[in-house]
Amino acid sequence: MAISYLPRRIIQIFQQILPKAKGWGNIFRRRVRVFTMALVIYLDYKVLQQREKWASNPNTLWEKAHERNAKRVLSLIVELGGLWVKLGQYMSTRADVLPDAYISRLKMLQDSLPPRPLQEVCRTIETELGQSMDDLFLDFVKIPLATASIAQVHRATLLNGQEVVVKVQHEGIKKIILEDLKNAKKIVDWIAWAEPQNDFNPLIDEWCKEAPKEVDFIHEAENTRTVSRNLRCKNIEHDDKTNANQVDVLIPDVIQSSEKVLILEYMDGIRLNDLESLEAFGVNKQKLVEEITRAYAHQIYVDGYFNGDPHPGNFLASKEPPHRPILLDFGLTKKLSIPIKQALAKMFLASAEGDHAALLSAFAEMGFKLRLDMPEQAMEITSVLFRTSSSAKESLETMKLLSEKRAKNMKVIQEKMKLNQKEFKRFNPVDAIPGDIVIFSRVLGLLRGLSSTLNVRIVYLDIMRPFAESALQGKLKLEENVANIWPEFGSNRKDLIKVHHVLNHTSGLHNAFADITREDPLQLSDWDECLNHIALSVPETEPGQEQLYHHLSFGWLCGGIIEHASGKKFKEILEEAFIHPLQIEGELYIGIPPGVESRLATLTIDKDDLQKLLGISSRLATRTLDKDDHEKLLRVISRFDVPSTIQPSDVSQVASTLPVIFNSLNVRRAIIPAANGHCSARALARYYAALADGGMVPWPHSSSSKPPLGSHPHIPKFPSQKTSKRQKGSKTKEVFAAAISRTNDYGKKPNYSDVSHSRNSSDDSCTRLVNESSNSNSISMTDSSEDSNPRNNSVGRIFSNPRIHDAFLGVGEYGNLALANGKFGLGFRRSISKDGSIVGFGHSGLGGSTGFADMNNRFAIAVTVNKMSFGAVTGNIINFVCSELNIPVPEEFSIFSEMGPNAQICLGRLLND
């Protein structure tokens, strides 16, 4: 009786001494109400703990206490509103933890708070949107669909007849939310002082950081669009057959937004707490909750961008079969960095597999610290987190057992650390809980509460596992900020650069290595130092605004992103993703291992060709060429994406420097991804063949291509000292290699090159297109004879995206990620035919080597050279092969066919006449 009377009497006293005006007094009243209620409930349960020792029926005492205190909590929450409604909504979903008295009382907070006056609602709408209600809506339903803690929702019809819902923020709610956060923080501090083992500060700290974002509806609108786009809600019918992790949910479209008003597409659905309607419409509750769980697993592990507030009021079940979940309210949305997302995935999988070492490693990566090295207790924490859901009654029994087990574990800790009772009471085994895992744990708790409320059983380890595994496969989102993947990269105005900016050469970092190449080019051989240099670099243009070829920086940008996203080294990814699947071991290196140097051709330069570049600038400026020759010369020059820092007058110096640097052993062994690839033409052709056929690994080369594909051992074979002396003064041989036709010049018999190492061959290596009637969906790399090696007959995929070509070219749904008229798509240069249509993609080196894929004709070709030149010989090879196969010639190579077989002589005439 005395305890029940206490809060009312205290409030009466303060009402007498506090000013009646709004402002400080009103805020103070809220604080007094919160603190006194917290104290009353705390004392009520403390007294009950003593009374039950002498009670004949303690369960009855506890039931009455729960009913009494649940009523108090609900009354206070309804009175105060604001943030406390959010807390009540969260509590109402935890049927797996809280007694029935709390659940039954608090579940009404999910959508049935007292509505705000219609006059207030209309005033906010007109002020925010700058138009009268009549100018905005054909019809506006006065009775709200729902009233929640921050806003209430009305159904309306726009002037164009579209059915919408209008979410309107309560007046003054922002100030109230901020004040409630301060009060909640003080209460949590007090609990932590009184009961140190129940320290909820990490949770309230994260809430204080995230909750204010909920009162900005512009932020919520962007969150809604992002999650909808990530879950591909508008493309389900197309994607569900190609992606095992595709989820089948609905999210309303955003129509209009301001800070305090949000207009969304109307979707007719059933509230999840309306069990009778769910039953009447025949909704499969098990399937419904499983799909919601899958949607959250996708948001967390695939997207790293998830709604942190999945209480039942934020879901509907669509009335039309198959009764898809409708996801609502994205005000509290959490974004995870790539490392944290991967750490959460590792934690999940370690828990699923009982791997203690992996679990502790994941804890360390996410910043979750325990005071003791007790892996068994750590495993128990995650086992509780990911345990299978059950009914409310079963859950309470489970929580009781877990509580008893926790008490035993704490007793073990007390004995191990030799703590007395007073020290033990104030000991908390958790040293630090990162904010990311607080929201993550809250989401899992809400999902478990949802399943308990609907009385369905969800096996989280089975449903979420495929999504967690995908997080560790290094998959990236093209719209991801690079700084989220590579935190050090976010300095010096680079925080807005996204992955697609890097792939499209629009990041503004095209000259990131200009100072190094000018002052000390050998620094390029230090991989880690170059990554640090990129991370500290300053962009010259705004991201996405201007496309300039990232001649050196592109390789390190991509390499740094890949390493940070995957947690693996660049060479590991290269081997796992391309070299091993394509069976080109020993024929493609970025940084050669010891012993391979004896197989490499020496890089040389056609000084006559490059010397002619000195005349380009003056010839173009004076326009001494006739119109046709002038156009041809411009097209030749456009083939070379010459860095903006290199002027024509510098070409001669660059040309004489490159061979010296890139022939040195330390540079050949270094990882220089933009300029130091060593490969055979057939290895490069297989790579482009796989790309041309949507990721399908091509069949091996014919048996006439020697040595057999992938047969090169990695055992170092060093040349003898005698051989080295004999070769010291030998003349370097010029080597050309092509995957389809090989030649040094027209009219001469070609030499086969293995990793650009000269080798005589008595027959040609051919690449044959697959007959359209063939069952194979790949480009064939074999002749008509069958290969008896079963390993070589295996066909797999290195990509699974059915729109991978659109991504390479930056078209279709990827069109907004690439400059429309730029040379580059996403990662490759677009190959354009004479009529202006896109025929394929590829890339050419500065000295004449090239790789090209025509996806329409399922054709790929590669040419490698060791003598750097204008590329006339390469161009003639491409023209010859394409003409023989009757397929379009890319525009950058068609200039050579117009010049005829003596293209090199013609170029000389254009430059020297």
Side-chain angles (χ1 to χ4, degrees), residues 107 110-111 270-276 278 312-313 453-454:
K107 68 180 181 181
Q110 292 174 10
D111 59 7
I270 311 163
R271 292 282 180 185
L272 298 197
N273 57 6
D274 187 355
L275 300 181
E276 290 184 4
L278 291 175
T453 300
L454 295 181

Side-chain angles (χ1 to χ4, degrees), residues 94-122:
R94 298 311 306 270
D96 57 324
V97 176
L98 292 176
D100 288 338
Y102 283 91
I103 303 303
S104 60
R105 292 275 182 180
L106 298 179
K107 68 180 181 181
M108 67 179 66
L109 295 172
Q110 292 174 10
D111 59 7
S112 57
L113 291 174
R116 292 296 180 98
L118 182 64
Q119 184 180 3
E120 175 190 316
V121 171
C122 294

Side-chain angles (χ1 to χ4, degrees), residues 486 489 502 507 509 534 550 553-562:
W486 182 357
F489 183 85
V502 171
S507 74
L509 297 172
I534 281 282
H550 290 38
S553 56
F554 184 81
W556 275 281
L557 283 166
C558 292
I561 291 170
I562 290 170

Side-chain angles (χ1 to χ4, degrees), residues 488-784:
E488 298 83 358
F489 183 85
S491 63
N492 296 328
R493 298 186 292 108
K494 299 194 299 297
D495 52 305
L496 297 180
I497 296 176
K498 300 182 183 295
V499 173
H500 67 82
H501 292 139
V502 171
L503 295 175
N504 194 228
H505 296 266
T506 56
S507 74
L509 297 172
H510 46 285
N511 287 326
F513 286 107
D515 53 341
I516 288 182
T517 55
R518 183 173 55 251
E519 297 170 8
D520 185 9
L522 292 180
Q523 286 188 39
L524 296 176
S525 61
D526 189 330
W527 171 258
D528 291 329
E529 184 59 36
C530 285
L531 287 184
N532 291 334
H533 188 86
I534 281 282
L536 297 174
S537 61
V538 180
E540 295 184 11
T541 60
E542 292 298 316
Q545 297 301 309
E546 190 173 359
Q547 190 175 80
L548 294 165
Y549 177 46
H550 290 38
H551 58 291
L552 277 177
S553 56
F554 184 81
W556 275 281
L557 283 166
C558 292
I561 291 170
I562 290 170
E563 285 198 346
H564 284 83
S566 66
K568 298 181 179 180
K569 291 298 183 181
F570 179 82
K571 280 190 172 182
E572 289 182 72
I573 296 294
L574 181 67
E575 292 178 359
E576 291 176 8
F578 298 108
I579 292 176
H580 296 323
L582 294 175
Q583 300 175 15
I584 52 176
E585 292 89 345
E587 296 195 29
L588 191 153
Y589 301 101
I590 297 180
I592 63 170
V596 175
E597 55 270 14
S598 62
R599 293 167 44 212
L600 300 182
T602 302
L603 182 67
T604 63
I605 202 148
D606 190 326
K607 293 183 179 179
D608 292 338
D609 252 14
L610 293 179
Q611 185 66 30
K612 293 168 186 174
L613 284 174
L614 295 173
I616 289 178
S617 183
S618 59
R619 299 302 301 257
L620 290 176
T622 58
R623 292 185 175 273
T624 54
L625 301 172
D626 60 42
K627 184 177 180 180
D628 289 342
D629 285 349
H630 185 268
E631 184 179 341
K632 289 178 182 178
L633 184 56
L634 283 176
R635 288 167 61 193
V636 171
I637 296 170
S638 70
R639 286 194 66 247
F640 302 97
D641 294 299
V642 180
S644 59
T645 53
I646 298 180
Q647 302 299 318
S649 58
D650 300 328
V651 171
S652 180
Q653 179 183 355
V654 172
S656 60
T657 303
L658 284 176
V660 176
I661 294 174
F662 286 95
N663 282 329
S664 63
L665 185 58
N666 65 318
V667 172
R668 284 187 160 181
R669 289 184 178 176
I671 304 173
I672 308 178
N676 200 32
H678 300 84
C679 63
S680 65
R682 68 178 181 178
L684 190 59
R686 279 180 67 75
Y687 168 72
Y688 275 104
L691 302 188
D693 220 14
M696 184 70 75
V697 176
W699 295 104
H701 278 71
S702 64
S703 57
S704 62
S705 178
K706 301 295 184 180
L709 191 69
S711 64
H712 290 289
H714 287 274
I715 301 173
K717 291 186 176 180
F718 299 97
S720 65
Q721 186 177 3
K722 183 178 180 181
T723 304
S724 299
K725 288 180 179 180
R726 185 173 65 249
Q727 292 178 345
K728 184 176 180 180
S730 63
K731 186 177 180 180
T732 301
K733 184 179 291 186
E734 178 183 349
V735 178
F736 292 93
I740 294 182
S741 176
R742 306 184 312 276
T743 181
N744 288 343
D745 206 345
Y746 281 92
K748 296 182 181 179
K749 182 67 179 176
N751 287 330
Y752 178 74
S753 171
D754 173 38
V755 198
S756 296
H757 171 64
S758 180
R759 179 191 294 265
N760 291 329
S761 176
S762 59
D763 51 64
D764 287 346
S765 157
C766 295
T767 300
R768 180 173 63 83
L769 295 174
V770 171
N771 188 307
E772 290 301 325
S773 62
S774 170
N775 291 328
S776 173
N777 188 31
S778 68
I779 293 178
S780 176
M781 300 294 281
T782 181
D783 58 13
S784 57

Side-chain angles (χ1 to χ4, degrees), residues 232 235-246 475 799-803:
R232 305 188 65 80
N235 298 279
I236 290 174
E237 292 181 2
H238 176 78
D239 282 353
D240 60 357
K241 296 179 181 178
T242 59
N243 186 354
N245 285 346
Q246 178 63 52
K475 293 183 179 179
F799 297 113
S800 59
N801 183 356
R803 296 170 301 282

